[in-house]
Amino acid sequence: GNSVTQMEGPVTLSEEAFLTINCTYTATGYPSLFWYVQYPGEGLQLLLKATKADDKGSNKGFEATYRKETTSFHLEKGSVQVSDSAVYFCARTNSGYALNFGKGTSLLVTP
Amino acid sequence: NAGVMQNPRHLVRRRGQEARLRCSPMKGHSHVYWYRQLPEEGLKFMVYLQKENIIDESGMPKERFSAEFPKEGPSILRIQQVVRGDSAAYFCASSPTEPGQGFAYTFGSGTRLTVV
C-alpha cells in the first residue's frame, strides 16, 4: 500500500538540542513527501515538501531529504526551540490529492 | 485573506443524533477535501469534492456519512445516527485547482466531534 511509518513519541528535548524524527514510506510509485506540523488546538500546516529523489525540503530551520535508496524522509533541526513543541506528521501522496499520513510524533521542547 | 474556515470548532452529540460539519474554503478555492483524525492516529482521507460534484469518496464510510459542496455556501459533512466511534477530529482542506504531484493544500483548524 501507500503507507507512511514514523517514529513513535513523545519526544522530549531540551531547548537547542538536535532533533530527528524518522519517517519511512512504502516504495510504491513515485510519491511526493511532506512534513506537516500541528500546534495545539490548530489545524495542520505544511512545514516542508519534496517531490523527487534527492530533493531537500527546508523551512524554519527544519530539513528533510527524500532518500529513495532507504525510502526515508527524516525530519531534522539543528537547534529546537520551545515554540517548536507540536505534533509532526509525515505524509505522502501518489494521486496528487489524497494524502496518506503517519500517526504523528509529539515533540515537547523544555526550556 | 481568511484561511479555510471550519465550524463549529467543537461539537457534542448524543448517540443517534445527526452531526453537521461545515467548511468554507479559502477565497478562490473550488476544491475541498475532508479528512478524519481518530485518537492516536494520523489523518485519513475521506472525500474530495468540487462545486456540486463528488470526485472521490473512497475513504468515506458507506453508511451514515455524506458530503456535499453546493454551488453556493460551504461544504457540509453530514453524519447521521452518530455512534461513539465517530468521535474524532474532522479536518477540511481546500485548493484552487486539482493539486498536481507535490501540491499541498491548506487545512482548516478542524471540528472536534464528541459523541456521548
Side-chain angles (χ1 to χ4, degrees), chain B residues 5 17 24 26 30 54 58 60 82 91 94-95 103 105 107-108 113:
Chain B
M5 304 301 293
Q17 290 185 319
S24 296
M26 285 185 71
S30 58
I54 296 175
S58 59
M60 200 152 68
V82 295
F91 290 96
S94 73
S95 65
F103 185 93
Y105 34 58
F107 279 92
L113 172 66

Side-chain angles (χ1 to χ4, degrees), chain A:
Chain A
N2 298 327
S3 65
V4 169
T5 303
Q6 60 183 106
M7 63 187 286
E8 291 191 20
V11 174
T12 303
L13 295 173
S14 297
E15 205 165 20
E16 299 184 2
F18 184 87
L19 169 71
T20 300
I21 300 178
N22 290 339
C23 171
T24 57
Y25 62 93
T26 51
T28 309
Y30 302 93
S32 291
L33 302 172
F34 306 85
W35 277 101
Y36 278 84
V37 58
Q38 185 180 28
Y39 298 103
E42 298 186 12
L44 278 72
Q45 301 174 25
L46 177 65
L47 183 59
L48 53 83
K49 66 178 181 181
T51 58
K52 61 184 187 299
D54 300 325
D55 270 3
K56 177 186 282 188
S58 61
N59 186 26
K60 300 180 181 179
F62 291 89
E63 291 183 342
T65 301
Y66 190 143
R67 303 252 185 237
K68 189 177 179 182
E69 63 276 12
T70 54
T71 61
S72 65
F73 193 55
H74 304 323
L75 182 68
E76 297 181 335
K77 187 174 185 182
S79 176
V80 293
Q81 305 300 311
V82 172
S83 58
D84 293 327
S85 298
V87 181
Y88 292 82
F89 291 93
C90 186
R92 63 171 287 165
T93 180
N94 276 36
S95 68
Y97 59 79
L99 287 165
N100 293 317
F101 286 87
K103 291 186 177 182
T105 302
S106 176
L107 170 66
L108 176 63
V109 180
T110 58

